[in-house]
Amino acid sequence: CRPKVHLQWASGSQPVRKLSVVSLLPQKLKDFVEDSVRLCRPSNVYVCDGSEAENSMLIELLLENRTIVPLPKYQNCFLARSCPRDVARVESRTFICTTNRRDAVNVPRGSAKGMLGNWMSLEDADSAVAERFLGCMVGRTMYVIPFSMGPLDSPYSKLGVQLTDSAYVVCSMRIMTRIGTKVLEKLDSLDDGGNGVGYFVKALHSVGRPADGPVQHPHWPCDPDRTIILHKPEMNEIISYGSGYGGNSLLGKKCFALRIGSSIARREGWLAEHMLILGVTNPKGRKRYVVAAFPSACGKTNMAMMQPTLPGYKVECVGDDIVWMRFDRNGQLRAINPEFGFFGVAPGTSRSTNPVAMDTVFKNTIFTNVAQTSDGGVYWEGMDKLEPGVTVTDWQGNPWTPGSTPAAHPNSRFCTPAEQCPIIDADWQSPEGVPIDAILFGGRRPAGVPLVYEAFDWKHGVYVGASMKSEATAAAEHKGKEIMHDPFAMRPFFGYNFGHYLQHWLSMETASPNVKVPKVFHVNWFRKDDQGKFMWPGYGENCRVLDWILRRIDNEPGTAQQTPIGIVPTRESFDARGLDVDFDGLFSVPIDFWTEEAKEVAHFLYEQVDEDLPKDIQDQINNLFSRLSLY
Ligand code: SAT
Ligand code: MN
């Protein structure tokens, strides 16, 4: 019962020409497609060319299936409502699969539970796949999406091919990555070097179908009970089953660009990180680029699109979520954004919080799980006021009244082309990347953590990244406002053992004799006062923090005040003009709090990383304790 493999050429909604795919695809890709066809048994195979016509055909199909509805208020925008059980990443079902466990995940001390990723053996992964994928695409089309992470002409870019049975995924991948014939041509021209490791990342995805009983939501088929996301870094493979949602299904993003990417990066001597990239120009016209790592749903998109309030400042956006970076021949750190679009959190986005995003997302955008207005628009919590007379349908399709349950799901998203961003940086697709002068780490920390502090040096900076914590958000299945460890904002995205990851970061400093490591900072926009009120206005005012950071990069005298945890601004060097904020409160370093914090972080690192905790990090822990006790 072997289905025929066809390459369909579409015009409008009618497939008009069928060609045998066998003779046309590069051998390795052909093998991948054929093996997957034997497993999944789709009724059709369609190779995506990435064209406008193809996209229109798929949108037409999605409208017919009611997976999406049009949003006539805007230009070429659509809304998808997912199955309510398929609304976020599923970290508990996400695995790194390797021959040896210790390569994939940290090995905690004693019986402690590993908090930094899940491992599965290759044999168990094979059984999980066999149980789920056999015949999972019967009656469906398998789409073949050749995609590039990074600009096609960049030496830093990597290619992938995703097979999926979801047209929603194809349309979203087309926004989030560079897809189609051009990628296929590049892939064809590459040589795999015969080393057996794929020279493109193989990514197999199915939304699945429940083992017992019919698909619950015909417009959003999925199999939440058996969702599983597998990564095989030794083979450059990703296999994802059961979910159509963002980070679980757009496999170029977290699965490739972070998990497989970090593992490739370690082998090749560079860094794949969960960071935004922005360019900031000061009033003197000096432009610098910085990267910043915050956990999911902590405002990376807002910061990447910041509208500075300080006169003469300008921010431009290179990326809002993922960075691939390496030191160039001159020892300068350079970064590319491997993505092509923004998959941003909608709630909280408004004309006042992120006007640039508001100017970006109302054309050519797929919204997922936001609310819909009676005049054919969208709505979410924290958006601007509703126009009078307009009624709202919530993210599940039910009538909504203000004050009742959330109109939009807290993890609802916009998926929008980066090139539409009015402040997209002129060099955002530069093949050699942009030069990076500072690395920022941050999180949601209601207590104790200053607005900004600078690490003493690179090794201390690596410790600061390792010690990151943040309040849980809606981006994954976690409940409540618990403060979780989230080292480097990578907790759900490490592709290999966190101890080895720390060693890799430490090794960057001596990667070559001329390496100039950037300064490292920690920021926290979310400190609260005794009344539980945010102490810092955030958003555009965060440029004041960037202003201080730029002064530090320039080694401006009189800008540094030493504390046991790092360097904070002197009052004179931090521009708080016109703001009514409690400077001392914002920058205080409460010693009792930090002694507890340092102990807790040390406990976490020793327990989680145990024998793989690098000596340099152990030294950093000890140094911090002695600085705190001397204080
Ligand atoms: O769903 S995604 O993983 O793409 C978003 C996020 O968690 O950052
Ligand atoms: Mn993210």
Side-chain angles (χ1 to χ4, degrees):
C1 61
R2 213 182 125 188
K4 270 205 171 145
V5 182
H6 284 130
L7 177 64
Q8 299 186 343
W9 297 96
S11 121
S13 60
Q14 290 303 309
V16 291
R17 189 147 64 95
K18 294 185 175 186
L19 290 173
S20 168
V21 82
V22 180
S23 61
L24 288 179
L25 295 180
Q27 183 65 38
K28 275 260 165 70
L29 175 52
K30 196 176 82 179
D31 294 347
F32 176 40
V33 173
E34 286 183 346
D35 291 348
S36 306
V37 163
R38 268 191 292 277
L39 179 66
C40 306
R41 298 184 192 154
S43 305
N44 247 317
V45 175
Y46 178 91
V47 182
C48 300
D49 63 15
S51 66
E52 203 59 63
E54 171 183 283
N55 189 56
S56 305
M57 177 194 76
L58 293 173
I59 290 289
E60 214 47 59
L61 191 72
L62 288 166
L63 286 167
E64 247 167 61
N65 298 342
R66 308 178 67 87
T67 304
I68 58 172
V69 295
L71 294 166
K73 189 168 173 183
Y74 319 119
Q75 191 192 322
N76 196 31
C77 289
F78 303 92
L79 165 62
R81 291 191 188 99
S82 80
C83 160
R85 293 185 59 201
D86 189 21
V87 294
R89 281 183 291 102
V90 212
E91 292 176 4
S92 58
R93 311 284 195 83
T94 301
F95 297 88
I96 310 294
C97 312
T98 50
T99 315
N100 301 308
R101 179 190 177 111
R102 193 166 171 175
D103 293 336
V105 289
N106 56 305
V107 182
R109 188 169 275 184
S111 58
K113 189 183 169 318
M115 310 292 281
L116 302 168
N118 307 309
W119 175 77
M120 189 183 277
S121 72
L122 293 167
E123 295 73 34
D124 286 354
D126 285 347
S127 329
V129 170
E131 277 165 27
R132 289 165 174 81
F133 275 86
L134 197 61
C136 69
M137 294 187 189
V138 168
R140 296 181 185 161
T141 296
M142 174 190 278
Y143 299 95
V144 179
I145 317 170
F147 65 97
S148 173
M149 299 313 291
L152 270 155
D153 57 349
S154 170
Y156 300 168
S157 296
K158 302 275 176 201
L159 304 184
V161 177
Q162 177 164 351
L163 312 182
T164 179
D165 52 6
S166 160
Y168 166 87
V169 166
V170 180
C171 294
S172 306
M173 281 291 283
R174 183 170 185 268
I175 296 171
M176 294 307 299
T177 73
R178 295 145 176 102
I179 75 164
T181 308
K182 280 204 249 21
V183 181
L184 212 49
E185 283 163 7
K186 178 164 175 192
L187 203 143
D188 211 7
S189 73
L190 290 181
D191 176 20
D192 71 352
N195 63 4
V197 176
Y199 58 110
F200 63 92
V201 170
K202 293 179 192 171
L204 173 61
H205 170 253
S206 172
V207 293
R209 62 173 89 234
D212 41 7
V215 160
Q216 294 285 306
H217 291 257
H219 67 277
W220 187 279
C222 58
D223 188 2
D225 290 326
R226 297 194 299 165
T227 293
I228 197 161
I229 298 120
L230 306 168
H231 306 72
K232 299 183 183 174
E234 289 154 350
M235 291 106 160
N236 282 353
E237 277 177 39
I238 303 158
I239 304 167
S240 167
Y241 174 91
S243 166
Y245 197 82
N248 305 325
S249 71
L250 312 180
L251 302 186
K253 198 171 176 56
K254 307 298 171 151
C255 298
F256 181 166
L258 289 179
R259 297 195 192 96
I260 295 291
S262 63
S263 152
I264 297 175
R266 182 183 177 224
R267 292 198 291 268
E268 298 183 354
W270 49 278
L271 298 166
E273 300 297 331
H274 192 203
M275 293 174 171
L276 67 88
I277 316 167
L278 64 79
V280 52
T281 309
N282 73 8
K284 291 181 197 136
R286 174 74 163 97
K287 182 171 184 177
R288 294 187 180 273
Y289 291 91
V290 307
V291 291
F294 309 142
S296 300
C298 285
K300 280 201 301 298
T301 307
N302 288 340
M303 186 177 180
M305 299 181 185
M306 186 203 298
Q307 290 292 85
T309 52
L310 285 180
Y313 266 92
K314 185 161 94 179
V315 164
E316 287 158 293
C317 174
V318 177
D320 80 328
D321 197 39
I322 298 175
V323 59
W324 284 359
M325 54 186 179
R326 63 178 79 200
F327 290 95
D328 69 12
R329 246 183 260 112
N330 304 318
Q332 171 67 49
L333 186 60
R334 303 196 79 91
I336 65 160
N337 170 11
E339 300 192 278
F340 200 46
F342 306 121
F343 188 68
V345 180
T349 309
S350 70
R351 290 239 69 91
S352 60
T353 62
N354 192 340
V356 175
M358 296 297 276
D359 287 338
T360 306
V361 300
F362 296 117
K363 49 183 190 282
N364 310 316
T365 297
I366 301 174
F367 295 91
T368 302
N369 290 340
V370 301
Q372 189 183 10
T373 56
S374 52
D375 61 347
V378 292
Y379 181 73
W380 50 71
E381 275 61 30
M383 201 178 168
D384 306 291
K385 262 214 228 67
L386 281 168
E387 278 158 46
V390 165
T391 59
V392 172
T393 304
D394 76 11
W395 66 279
Q396 297 188 68
N398 303 314
W400 178 82
T401 42
S404 61
T405 52
H409 187 277
N411 192 39
S412 54
R413 300 269 170 167
F414 51 77
C415 179
T416 198
E419 64 186 355
Q420 288 180 191
C421 175
I423 61 161
I424 199 75
D425 192 78
D427 282 339
W428 84 281
Q429 307 204 67
S430 155
E432 66 275 14
V434 295
I436 300 300
D437 285 320
I439 297 176
L440 279 56
F441 295 118
R444 290 177 185 263
R445 298 301 303 268
V449 180
L451 179 61
V452 57
Y453 66 93
E454 180 190 327
F456 297 115
D457 55 26
W458 181 253
K459 290 190 176 81
H460 182 228
V462 177
Y463 167 83
V464 169
S467 70
M468 274 172 66
K469 296 193 210 173
S470 192
E471 254 176 18
T473 68
E477 71 266 45
H478 307 287
K479 296 273 179 300
K481 292 233 150 179
E482 172 199 359
I483 298 208
M484 300 168 72
H485 283 275
D486 196 342
F488 295 80
M490 283 285 281
R491 180 186 47 77
F493 308 121
F494 291 117
Y496 62 98
N497 183 323
F498 173 55
H500 303 163
Y501 171 96
L502 287 171
Q503 194 57 60
H504 182 56
W505 262 78
L506 290 163
S507 76
M508 285 292 129
E509 196 177 16
T510 50
S512 72
N514 62 358
V515 159
K516 295 187 284 281
V517 286
K519 278 183 183 287
V520 177
F521 298 84
H522 187 282
V523 299
N524 174 31
W525 321 135
F526 301 94
R527 197 168 188 175
K528 289 181 175 171
D529 65 15
D530 298 341
Q531 278 83 55
K533 263 188 57 211
F534 285 116
M535 298 176 76
W536 179 250
Y539 303 107
E541 303 295 0
N542 292 337
C543 71
R544 297 170 189 264
V545 174
L546 284 178
D547 170 69
W548 182 72
I549 287 172
L550 295 187
R551 289 167 198 275
R552 293 296 305 150
I553 296 171
D554 290 337
N555 291 314
E556 207 178 286
T559 49
Q561 193 185 332
Q562 306 273 329
T563 82
I565 63 164
I567 295 161
V568 299
T570 54
R571 193 182 275 269
E572 312 76 64
S573 66
F574 187 84
D575 191 343
R577 272 175 300 172
L579 275 192
D580 179 22
V581 290
D582 169 11
F583 182 91
D584 294 329
L586 271 170
F587 289 101
S588 73
V589 176
I591 296 305
D592 291 348
F593 170 91
W594 276 99
T595 305
E596 278 316 301
E597 177 76 5
K599 281 187 200 160
E600 200 280 330
V601 168
H603 175 78
F604 170 78
L605 291 175
Y606 278 114
E607 182 181 86
Q608 287 294 315
V609 197
D610 197 20
E611 285 179 23
D612 289 316
L613 190 65
K615 168 80 168 54
D616 281 332
I617 298 296
Q618 299 181 27
D619 292 345
Q620 288 299 322
I621 291 171
N622 294 335
N623 297 349
L624 175 58
F625 278 130
S626 56
R627 288 194 305 266
L628 282 163
S629 62
L630 289 175
Y631 201 71

